[in-house]
Amino acid sequence: ASNPGRPQLAAPSDTGISDHDGTTSDTMPTFSGTGAEAEATIVLFAGSREIGRTTADPSGHWDITVLDAEKFTADGSYAVTARQIDAAGNASELSDAFTLVIDTVGPAVSSFMSKASSREFQLGFSEQIVFKPTGLFKLFQAASDLLSFSGSGSNWYVRDGAGGDDSVLNFKISMLGLYNLQMNNEAVQDLAGNVAVIGSPQWEVNLSAPPA
């Protein structure tokens, strides 16, 4: 039997800001594929472990949803491949691999730093993060709402840090002084859509000029 096509992760199973990056918090995802022989048995593997099987339709298309008994129980990277077995019992070689990343743990804050010289403050995280499009941070002085940082704003940027690519969130502020930074609790997520573990939703930000 010839090799089937490379498995593909179904878009609804690819959680997070992108539905096609292969990084997901779904531990029972759905895969699909094409190029199989009609009515062939398709066996799906994560590494050497079988995670499901089904029968291809007359056009050679198939879908497999990983069931609870075969679900992914550990975060990490997995090579997902397929093998087909034709009606005569001939088994193919494994297909090309799809790289699946299971991530079920949100990023944690690893550092918080004020930089008065550049009028910025930084939040460092344990892994790559994204600012959720509907996310929001607000800067307060006393009861006054002075500045907002939104997922679609231009007054923030990310850079590489100890947690890897894009693991530091930098906020740019136009004024000096002592402020409180407050946020909604889903503003920062990882690539799989897990909400950041931040702890306190409020920090004291001191951007005052140092004493002469």
Side-chain angles (χ1 to χ4, degrees):
S2 60
N3 300 357
R6 185 174 73 135
Q8 298 295 320
L9 181 64
S13 292
D14 196 333
T15 61
I17 197 166
S18 169
D19 63 4
H20 57 271
D21 64 358
T23 298
T24 182
S25 62
D26 186 352
T27 59
M28 294 188 289
T30 297
F31 288 88
S32 63
T34 58
E37 296 182 26
E39 312 300 334
T41 298
I42 302 296
V43 186
L44 194 65
F45 297 90
S48 60
R49 180 173 71 96
E50 181 178 332
I51 56 174
R53 62 173 58 202
T54 191
T55 301
D57 69 16
S59 67
H61 176 86
W62 57 268
D63 296 281
I64 293 176
T65 297
V66 179
L67 301 179
D68 185 69
E70 284 75 42
K71 71 180 180 181
F72 293 90
T73 57
D75 285 5
S77 180
Y78 297 86
V80 177
T81 55
R83 168 176 284 144
Q84 68 173 330
I85 304 170
D86 64 19
N90 301 305
S92 73
E93 298 296 322
L94 293 173
S95 70
D96 292 338
F98 178 91
T99 300
L100 175 72
V101 176
I102 297 290
D103 180 1
T104 61
V105 179
V109 171
S110 56
S111 65
F112 175 73
M113 181 184 301
S114 298
K115 298 176 64 178
S117 60
S118 57
R119 299 188 186 183
E120 292 185 346
F121 59 91
Q122 303 173 344
L123 282 172
F125 292 89
S126 58
E127 64 175 310
Q128 184 173 349
I129 55 97
V130 293
F131 202 141
K132 186 180 178 181
T134 56
L136 190 67
F137 281 75
K138 284 185 173 290
L139 198 68
F140 289 86
Q141 191 172 59
S144 299
D145 176 2
L146 300 177
L147 195 60
S148 294
F149 306 90
S150 69
S152 58
S154 59
N155 52 355
W156 58 271
Y157 63 98
V158 292
R159 66 171 179 79
D160 299 350
D165 296 344
D166 292 347
S167 61
V168 176
L169 185 59
N170 292 59
F171 296 95
K172 298 182 288 185
I173 301 173
S174 58
M175 69 287 279
L176 296 176
L178 184 64
Y179 307 96
N180 287 104
L181 173 69
Q182 298 179 17
M183 56 158 286
N184 66 24
N185 282 328
E186 294 189 357
V188 178
Q189 301 182 355
D190 64 19
L191 297 182
N194 300 299
V195 176
V197 180
I198 292 181
S200 171
Q202 180 172 312
W203 296 273
E204 186 177 272
V205 181
N206 189 353
L207 296 177
S208 300

